[in-house]
Amino acid sequence: KKKTEKKTVWYWELMNSTKPIWQRKSADVTDDEYTQFYRSIAKASDDETPLAKTHFVAEGEVTFKSILFVPPRSPPDMLTDSPKMDNLKMYVKRVFITDKFDEMLP
């Protein structure tokens, strides 16, 4: 006697094949792509560009890839005791973990 078994098969469709800008080599990223990325994460206007940027890979016990931008002007709450940390986000292996750092940062 044969037993019939139902099997569920999932077909995944890739929605975004673009590699994140920080995962690419810095030689492969144009200045315009850096500027557009800065404007999107800094919620900047279309005419605002960063003063400087650095795109690097840090290797050691923990390896990570990063892009650091210097904004064109300092934030208004820069010298207060508790600056806002609304643009800082933690990802581990490309998975968003948290954006709440009240107890993690001094």
Side-chain angles (χ1 to χ4, degrees):
K1 208 177 203 186
K2 291 187 178 184
K3 184 178 176 183
T4 305
E5 188 176 303
K6 286 187 175 185
K7 185 176 179 181
T8 303
V9 179
W10 298 95
Y11 294 100
W12 298 96
E13 180 181 343
L14 184 62
M15 299 302 289
N16 185 0
S17 62
T18 306
K19 205 171 185 184
I21 193 171
W22 60 90
Q23 291 290 332
R24 296 163 38 195
K25 293 180 183 177
S26 59
D28 296 342
V29 183
T30 66
D31 284 338
D32 187 49
E33 287 176 307
Y34 281 122
T35 302
Q36 292 299 325
F37 182 68
Y38 171 77
R39 288 176 183 159
S40 70
I41 63 168
K43 301 174 187 139
S45 63
D46 287 343
D47 60 343
E48 191 171 321
T49 59
L51 290 179
K53 68 180 177 320
T54 182
H55 187 164
F56 64 94
V57 177
E59 296 179 355
E61 194 172 312
V62 176
T63 301
F64 63 90
K65 298 176 182 180
S66 181
I67 303 172
L68 297 177
F69 293 100
V70 176
R73 60 186 169 280
S74 62
D77 61 350
M78 186 173 124
L79 300 176
T80 62
D81 288 340
S82 58
K84 283 177 34 181
M85 295 288 186
D86 62 347
N87 287 339
L88 190 60
K89 295 171 181 32
M90 180 188 290
Y91 289 83
V92 175
K93 295 188 178 184
R94 301 182 192 167
V95 176
F96 174 73
I97 302 299
T98 187
D99 57 0
K100 307 281 190 256
F101 292 99
D102 297 337
E103 296 179 10
M104 288 186 193
L105 298 174

